Every structure is written in C-alpha cells, then in structure tokens.
Amino acid sequence: MILRTHYSGQIRPDMDGSEVVLAGHAHETRDLGGILFLVVRDREGLSQVTMVAKRTERSILETVRGLSRESVVSVRGKVKAEAKAPRGFEIIPSSVQVLARADSPLPLDPTGKVDCELDTRLDSRFMDLRRPASMAVFRIESAVLQSLRQTFYSKGFTEVCTPKVVATATEGGTALFPISYFEKEAFLNQSPQLYKQILMSTGLDRVFEIGPIFRAEEHDTRRHLNEAISVDIEMSYADHDDVMALLESAVAEAYRFVGEVCQHELSVLGLDLHVPKTPFRRVTYTEALDMAREAGRASMEWGDDIDTETEHYLGSTIGEHYFLTDWPAKVKPYYTQPYDDRPEVSKGFDLMHPTMELASGAQRVHDYGLLVERMKSQGLDPDGFEFYLKAFRYGMPPHAGWGLGLGRLVQTMLGLENIRDAVLFPRDRKRLVP
RNA sequence: GUCCGGAUAGUGUAGUGGCCUAUCAUGAAGCCCUGUCGAGGCUUCGACCCGGGUUCGAAUCCCGGUCCGGGCGCCA
C-alpha cells in the first residue's frame, strides 16, 4: 500500500500524464454540480483534484461528496497540466481513499477564512498547526536549531545532556518547581548552569546543551513562559568577549540559514528576513544608564537592575541587536567574574533584541575561594553547593558561557506578538494542557 | 501579584436598558449550478461565562467568581 508518492510542492505542470499518489487533509471541496473540486493539503501546500461528474467513476464522486472537511485522504491520479487550475496543474483521480474521517464542526478553521484567537488555537493546537502560517513557525524553529547545532559542532563543541531533576533549590533566587522524587524532595532545574560549569573541569572544554528549563515565577507576559528551551554553551580558556563573538555569529548565522532553507515558510508568513549585521553594538551598563538619564527616561541609580521601561527605551533608540555589558557585580549571579581592577563591575552581559532580552552570559568565576566568597556575599550557603564547588578545587580552567532563549529568538526573528506563538505547547501560569 | 480592557452559535463578530423571537461571516444539513480557486444563489440549524442584585423590563447597569488579552511587577 503506497499512501503517498509526492508532496504537493513536488508536483509541477511538466509532470503532465504521470501518476501520483497524494495524501493529506481535505482542505475543502467545491461542488459546482457538473464539476467537483477537492483541495488536498499536505505540509508543502495545496493540490487541486478535479472531477468532471460525467467522466468520473460514481464511487469517487460519492466518496468526495460525502467527505467532511479535514478528513485524511489518499488520492491516486494523473497529473494534468491545466492553466485554469491553481499552480498550473490538477489531479484527475482514479481512486480516492478516506483514511480517517474528521468530526464536525471543527474546533477552528484551518483554511484561515475565519480568524481565531490565540487561546482557541492553543486549546486545539493540533488543528491550529494545520494552518500553514502556524506550521511555518515550527519548521523555521527546526531550521534555527539545525543552524545552531551546525555552528557549535563546527567550532568544536560537544553536545551534552544534563539532569532536569535536581536536588537543590539553592541555586539562586528564582522560584523552582518542587516535585516528589521517591522519598526525597527534588526540583525541576531552572538552568543547566552549574552542570555546564562542572563539565569545564573535565577537559571537555566546549559544551552545548539545548533543553528545557523550568521557572516557577508568577510572571504573566507575552515574553515569559514557565517552561522554555534554553540554548546553553560553556567554553573553557575563553572570556566574555570570546563568547559574545560566538553568540553574535550563531544568531546571525541562524538568520542567514533560515533565509536560505525556509523560503517557502517565510513567504507563507509574508516575511523578508533581514540578517542582523555583526559585530553587534556593545553598550556598557553605565552608558545605557546615561543614555536613559539624558533622555529623562530613567530614575534608576547605578547598581539597580534595568527596568522594563528603560529596556524598551534603549531598544527603540538603538534599533538593532546589541550587547549590554559591564553590569554591576551585585545584580549578576555569584558565578559572574568581576573585573580585576574594579570588582564592583562584572564581566556579565546580556544580548538584547530591541524588544527584549534574548540571552545572558559572562565570563565565570573559576577561583574556588572567590566563588565561595561571592556566594556568601549574595546570601547563599556554600554547603548546599558542595557537588558544584568540588569541581573547582581540583583544577578548573577559566571559562565563559551563555544561555539563549530559543522561543524568544524565534519570536523576535519572525516578529511574533506572543512567545506562545513560538512554542508548540506552551506552559504558563494558567496553561498546563495540552 | 497588580492595573486596565474583555467574555454573545463550533469559529470570528455586531449589539450601551424595551427596536433582541439577538447581527453578519464562516460552518453544518438540504436544493440548484461544468472551471471553482475566500466560488455563487436559495432554505434550514446553531449562542448572550457562572452566581447574586437593581428594574415593570437586563446580552446591556451593579456586586462577587471564573476564564481570556494587554501593561507593569517578579524573572540570581
């Protein structure tokens, strides 16, 4: 049984006369009485199947007339070049099989004739993804992942998988999800940070991980989720400048690659992708604060975290990707390396899109004594971190790294209003299903 | 968490106290139609988030709840 020989995108008018088998969803049928059209949709597009009533087998006509929208069909037939047909060809069927019948009414309209709200779409995500514009986002996301992996492998990185179930909640200030782990208390990990760093003491030197992170924060915005995919790297014998260079080239290359391999998806979305120019502008925290103050847009003191209003002002002023560097040490985590000559300033950085933060990273503290001291000064108890600190006592190379939010990268690349559009099955404060 | 806005057929919407037996589109069922491509024409079906209150009368006003959207906060 052959259920498909060609996708829609592979059929062309010059295949006139050849037999093909299409399979997909019944996008719509148009019955004009004497002539009947069935439009079959697969992941590459639409194909029209044409049946002239007088010249078509009765059983085929009955099957197609009884077809509910979105039923799954397999159509065997001959390609006929036809100027009157969409895309210049149509299929004259010799058989039409219904592989699965769809119920009616549908939870939303995949043809796009009637709008639907994000919440409705997410409730029936399987059906939403039949809309070409929704599917295109995730085929592009896949290309972004492929590109990022290619970049990392080409630079000598090893892909790793670190645990998502962890024992300690003392990693930092963010809220973690507690879970039951046999007789013990455990948590879902908020970041692979500590494990990436432990791996730097092994001599593996360059690692990356693409995996989920979990944050139990009550945030409820169009750029936050409680489960996200983080693209994380850690690199030995490198400083913050080295990993910023890697980050900007990885991001720019992802844009370039998507533009090359996702032309169909980009045209479905009506986008003309602009590859950001590297190197990205570097703006120090102090410069950013001065810019905002001069414009009367900031009431912050040096040392405060940058608030959303200031972040948006900077983004709209700068207008392209940029790095925010040289953050006050006290607003960055304990593992962020301070400058030798001015310890109140750190080698931490954020990668910013004009609309939001995409990534944050730093050169890390690799000196055991300094790390313990920094932990204590941020109110953490080093005893809870023994599994981590141990790796710093037996020869830890200097290293640096970053974590990049995949959803935000795709969201900003495609100009999506809500990060939920860029995640197949988003998890937020309210949504746990599907 | 907080502020602002919202919730009407399966979906998307109109409707600011009586004109609502609730609009339109899409959909579904049926009929007509040989080139549709958001096909067209005709008929039919299908809805006011939940609970209280005000009023002669509530989809509409008030209170509480639930859910949704946006801003901010939170996000080492």
Side-chain angles (χ1 to χ4, degrees), chain A residues 138-424:
Chain A
F138 297 98
R139 299 204 66 185
I140 289 170
E141 183 179 85
S142 171
V144 167
L145 286 166
Q146 187 185 347
S147 169
L148 291 170
R149 283 196 167 91
Q150 279 167 356
T151 297
F152 300 147
Y153 286 127
S154 76
K155 293 178 188 295
F157 281 76
T158 298
E159 182 162 11
V160 298
C161 303
T162 65
K164 303 307 150 200
V165 178
V166 296
T168 174
T170 52
E171 194 177 307
T174 199
L176 302 188
F177 288 108
I179 60 170
S180 163
Y181 193 75
F182 304 110
E183 71 282 4
K184 289 178 182 161
E185 184 185 47
F187 300 89
L188 293 176
N189 210 176
Q190 59 147 157
S191 158
Q193 181 63 32
L194 304 187
Y195 291 94
K196 288 192 300 181
Q197 287 193 264
I198 288 171
L199 290 173
M200 290 302 96
S201 81
T202 67
L204 213 44
D205 280 6
R206 298 179 174 203
V207 303
F208 76 96
E209 174 164 18
I210 299 174
I213 59 172
F214 303 91
R215 305 209 168 168
E217 297 297 335
E218 300 269 349
H219 37 44
D220 189 9
T221 77
R222 48 188 185 149
R223 60 187 183 281
H224 288 96
L225 290 173
N226 296 291
E227 177 181 323
I229 299 300
S230 179
V231 178
D232 264 275
I233 70 112
E234 203 67 29
M235 185 173 178
S236 287
Y237 309 103
D239 67 10
H240 54 307
D241 287 320
D242 297 318
V243 294
M244 278 191 273
L246 171 65
L247 179 50
E248 66 195 350
S249 70
V251 167
E253 173 59 17
Y255 272 75
R256 192 204 62 75
F257 185 74
V258 166
E260 179 187 313
V261 304
C262 297
Q263 291 170 14
H264 170 71
E265 286 76 14
L266 290 169
S267 77
V268 164
L269 293 170
L271 290 177
D272 184 18
L273 211 58
H274 163 75
V275 179
K277 284 206 173 55
T278 55
F280 298 161
R281 186 166 159 189
R282 269 68 169 166
V283 180
T284 68
Y285 169 90
T286 305
E287 286 165 357
L289 207 59
D290 288 345
M291 281 170 68
R293 278 178 177 153
E294 278 166 28
R297 298 304 293 267
S299 53
M300 300 156 42
E301 297 295 319
W302 196 94
D304 292 344
D305 203 351
I306 290 184
D307 60 36
T308 306
E309 188 195 357
T310 306
E311 185 181 306
H312 288 167
Y313 169 73
L314 293 169
S316 61
T317 304
I318 294 168
E320 56 188 3
H321 289 83
Y322 63 102
F323 283 109
L324 260 180
T325 66
D326 297 2
W327 285 74
K330 71 174 187 182
V331 302
K332 284 292 174 185
Y334 60 84
Y335 50 74
T336 307
Q337 179 78 210
Y339 281 94
D340 292 340
D341 53 344
R342 32 179 189 145
E344 72 285 2
V345 182
S346 78
K347 296 186 180 180
F349 61 86
D350 285 354
L351 171 62
M352 307 297 299
H353 179 269
T355 57
M356 71 186 78
E357 178 187 332
L358 297 181
S360 65
Q363 182 180 333
R364 320 298 192 186
V365 176
H366 65 282
D367 179 81
Y368 176 81
L370 179 58
L371 191 55
V372 170
E373 184 191 307
R374 294 259 310 147
M375 263 181 190
K376 286 179 180 165
S377 76
Q378 295 201 350
L380 297 169
D381 179 3
D383 289 348
F385 292 87
E386 177 54 19
F387 77 100
Y388 168 67
L389 288 171
K390 195 175 172 184
F392 288 75
R393 288 201 296 266
Y394 302 91
M396 173 64 88
H399 60 278
W402 42 257
L404 165 71
L406 177 67
R408 287 186 177 191
L409 178 61
V410 173
Q411 182 188 0
T412 53
M413 179 182 283
L414 304 181
L416 303 173
E417 294 281 310
N418 196 308
I419 196 165
R420 291 161 183 78
D421 274 313
V423 176
L424 283 171

